[in-house]
Structures are given as C-alpha cells and as structure tokens.
Amino acid sequence: MLLDYRISTYPDELTVDYPDPVDLILTVDRAPTSTKLVQCDRITVALLMGNADVAWVEEKDAQSIRARVTGGSGIGHGEGWTAKFRTTKDRDDEPGTWYDVIFTPKAPASFDGSWDLELRISGIKLNKEAGHAKLLVIEKTSTGGSTSERSITDTVQKAPREFELHSFRADPLQINNGDRPTLKWQGTRSAAYTMYWNDSKAHITPGPETPPGQWTCPDPLVKDTNFLLQGHFAQSGNTYERSLTTLVAVLTPDLVVHRLTVNGPLLAKNTVTVDGATDLNGTVKAKGTLTVAGALTAESTATVGGDLTASRAATIDGTLTAKSTGSIHGALTARSTVTVGGDLTAEKTATVKGELKAQQDATVAKTLKVTGDATFGTVHAATVKVK
C-alpha cells in the first residue's frame, strides 16, 4: 500500500447490541516510509455483511450507512471527494457479501505528507454476533505512471455484552511523595487483567488482599505516573481486549528535566546535586548541601546552608556564603565577599574581589588573591596576595 490508513471507531470500543449505530473512521495519509508523491484515483472501503462474528452489519440494515469526507478540498488534494455505495459478492480472495463505500476525488489528488483525509462511514448497525469484523481497503494509486489497485484487510473488535471495563481511577486521586497508590475499576470478574506503569507490569490475580476491581501498586511513587489497565476476555474461541488509562498525581513530586534554566531565586530546602555545569542568572539558596559535579556559575548571590562542593570551577558574581565547608575542585572566582563557616579549599587559583572570611583553614593549590580583608585560620597556598 502506498497510503497509510489509521483506523478508529466511535465509540472507541464497540460492543454488540449497542443501541445506536456506530462510526468507522479511516485517516488517510502518505505512508510514513515513502518520500514520493502518491497519486490517488480512488479509495474503496468494504464492510463484510451478514450475521456472522466476522461481519459488521446484516444486509437488511446496510441501507442506513452514510459517508462523509473531511479534508481533500484544496488544489492537488482532490478539490472535494464524493462517496458512492454498492454491493459486491465473493471477491477473488475474499468470499462473502460486501458493502462497498467508494471515495473518489473530483480532481487529481496527490498525497505528499503535508495533508491527510478523513473518511467517516456512519450509520453502521452492528449485528448481534461478537467477534472481529472484517474490512477491506482498496486503493487505486501510483507514484508514477498509471494507477493500479492495491488492497489490505483488517479487523475491528466487536466485544460481547458480558465484557465490561470502565470507571478506572486512583483512590484517592492524589498521593504524597513516596506513597503507593490504589487503583480501582469496574469490570467483568472472569476477565484477566494486567497493569502497566513506568517500565513495569503486573498480572492481577484476585485474592484476600486484592479484591475484584482493586489493586495497590507495589512501588512507592515519587512523580506523577500514568497507569494502563488492560483486560482480556475469552468467549466462544475469541479473545477480546480493552484498555483504560489514568494518571496518579503525586504531591511535591521529584523532578527530572533535560535542561533547567532559573532566572530568579532557586531555593532548595535540602541537598542539591548537579551532575553537569550549573549556570544560574539569579540567587542560589540551598539550606542543605549543594553538590555540583561540573562547573558552578551564579550571576548573583550563592547561599548554601551546608557544604558547598563543585567538581570544577566556581564563578560567583555576587556574595558566596557557605555555612559549612567550601570545596572547589577547580578555580574559585568571587566578585564579592566569600564567607565559609568551615574550611575553604580550592584546587586551583582562588580570586576574591571582596572580603574573604573562613572560620577555619584556607587551602589553595595555587595563588590566593583577596582584594579586601582576609580572615581565616591557617592558610595553605603557593602564593598569597592580599591588598
């Protein structure tokens, strides 16, 4: 097939004996693997008729079927599409009676990947036999030269009335960070259920601690998490599947981002660990330990309630205050006062353009330069320059 067909229905899940007619929707676009222009002269969607489990609608009810096209009105898109109906019996490789819906553009239609077409077939009164209804899609297309027919067959599930799955939710809807959520749903007791979340899955077996329609996640959650519940139901040699999703919200969640830019104050009430370079345009405040595996750059004040550790250079445009130890595994540059409650260690040059206050020792592998007053215990440095 040169075109791609995304098949859906309304409602999303079909059930036999559904009181209202249902819709079949095909969204048509150029196949994602193709880079060529696809000329299309015709698309036929054929529904198998009868009262069997593989049929959609009984022949007596087929006349209620209607069709509508969305899209395809522009130049090169067909300038409008029409739909016609016919009945076909016993195709060469597909026996049975088919109800064909034939979609034809009014002008040349070329799919180039920039637009798509929605074909909606409505008024389908499902028959009473559960199963998987068969449809046939025939396109008359080409990427150059004359068009020719290509076809595919597919099926759409018609579940029995006995298979129910609905009302999937977390109870409560929000949990605290580190708690384990309980999920609830309404569904057929004899169905088999599987829960999926993050990279995990669990087969749910009802028991004393797992009543029907209820399951508690074994993992404590630290962030908002999506859960997918999948049910399987077997009847008369056919297996049916239904899926539901829900989101469990976590209060004060852990945050994982690819890149974080903070233009204002950054307040961390506990340990802050950064594996790469940290570049902050505003104030940095950490009431616990601040550990940066790369370089630390702050264009304003940096205040740390515990230890300050940077694996590379630390550049502070404002005041640097660490109420405990300050350890810099590269050069330290501070354009204002530096106050450290414990030892100050820099493995390269330390340059402080304001006052330097270290209540214990100052250790600098190379030159220590202080523009203002310097107060510390023992100083260890190759060169000390205090103006």
Side-chain angles (χ1 to χ4, degrees):
M1 301 291 282
L2 301 181
L3 296 176
D4 179 64
Y5 300 88
R6 299 187 297 278
I7 299 172
S8 59
T9 62
Y10 180 83
D12 291 337
E13 301 282 356
L14 301 186
T15 303
V16 294
D17 282 346
Y18 186 72
D20 299 320
V22 303
D23 293 2
L24 173 67
I25 305 138
L26 287 83
T27 304
V28 187
D29 197 354
R30 184 179 66 180
T33 55
S34 176
T35 58
K36 296 180 179 180
L37 208 64
V38 178
Q39 174 77 28
C40 179
D41 289 345
R42 183 174 65 242
I43 298 172
T44 301
V45 181
L47 308 180
L48 187 62
M49 294 191 293
N51 56 14
D53 60 350
V54 293
W56 285 83
V57 59
E58 295 187 21
E59 292 188 40
K60 65 182 178 61
D61 294 324
Q63 298 306 315
S64 65
I65 293 176
R66 299 290 180 265
R68 185 174 78 238
V69 179
T70 302
S73 59
I75 297 175
H77 301 174
E79 299 182 35
W81 291 62
T82 61
K84 294 182 179 180
F85 308 91
R86 74 181 180 196
T87 298
T88 302
K89 291 183 178 291
D90 294 329
R91 285 187 161 90
D92 293 339
D93 52 352
E94 295 291 349
T97 302
W98 298 80
Y99 193 74
D100 296 349
V101 186
I102 306 164
F103 298 94
T104 307
K106 296 178 181 179
S110 298
F111 288 85
D112 59 2
S114 66
W115 64 283
D116 58 27
L117 193 69
E118 181 185 280
L119 311 178
R120 180 179 288 263
I121 302 172
S122 58
I124 304 171
K125 297 180 180 179
L126 295 177
N127 66 16
K128 299 182 183 298
E129 283 295 319
H132 294 82
K134 185 181 293 187
L135 71 147
L136 178 66
V137 181
I138 308 166
E139 65 178 34
K140 193 164 188 277
T141 54
S142 171
T143 55
S146 301
T147 57
S148 58
E149 288 190 345
R150 300 166 174 81
S151 65
I152 57 169
T153 57
D154 207 336
T155 59
V156 173
Q157 174 180 283
K158 301 180 299 172
R161 288 177 299 171
E162 293 83 359
F163 184 24
E164 294 185 352
L165 181 58
H166 57 86
S167 304
F168 183 41
R169 78 277 185 198
D171 185 16
L173 297 177
Q174 290 183 319
I175 62 172
N176 292 319
N177 191 310
D179 286 353
R180 298 184 302 143
T182 295
L183 287 303
K184 295 182 178 181
W185 63 92
Q186 298 290 323
T188 303
R189 290 191 175 214
S190 58
Y193 296 99
T194 305
M195 190 75 71
Y196 297 85
W197 73 102
N198 295 330
D199 294 325
S200 302
K201 72 175 182 178
H203 299 290
I204 301 172
T205 303
E209 297 182 1
T210 307
Q214 182 173 316
W215 174 82
T216 298
C217 179
D219 298 337
L221 300 186
V222 297
K223 63 179 180 178
D224 293 354
T225 302
N226 285 300
F227 286 83
L228 183 147
L229 174 65
Q230 193 172 80
H232 291 89
F233 180 74
Q235 185 185 80
S236 303
N238 284 319
T239 299
Y240 305 93
E241 176 185 301
R242 281 184 168 160
S243 299
L244 295 174
T245 61
T246 193
L247 174 69
V248 177
V250 175
L251 299 171
T252 61
D254 292 0
L255 181 64
V256 178
V257 298
H258 175 68
R259 181 171 181 170
L260 177 64
T261 301
V262 181
N263 292 323
L266 174 63
L267 175 61
K269 294 185 177 180
N270 207 319
T271 301
V272 177
T273 302
V274 183
D275 289 337
T278 303
D279 189 352
L280 303 168
N281 294 330
T283 301
V284 181
K285 295 181 181 180
K287 292 187 177 180
T289 300
L290 174 62
T291 303
V292 182
L296 169 64
T297 303
E299 296 185 4
S300 185
T301 301
T303 303
V304 183
D307 294 338
L308 167 64
T309 304
S311 296
R312 295 184 182 176
T315 302
I316 315 296
D317 283 354
T319 301
L320 170 61
T321 302
K323 293 185 178 180
S324 188
T325 301
S327 299
I328 313 299
H329 296 285
L332 167 64
T333 303
R335 295 188 171 90
S336 187
T337 300
V338 175
T339 303
V340 181
D343 294 338
L344 171 64
T345 304
E347 294 188 0
K348 293 186 178 180
T349 300
T351 303
V352 181
K353 294 189 177 179
E355 292 184 342
L356 170 62
K357 298 178 182 180
Q359 294 185 11
Q360 295 187 31
D361 295 344
T363 303
V364 181
K366 294 185 178 181
T367 302
L368 170 62
K369 299 178 182 180
V370 182
T371 303
D373 295 335
T375 303
F376 39 75
T378 304
V379 63
H380 304 278
T383 306
V384 178
K385 296 181 180 180
V386 180
K387 295 185 179 181

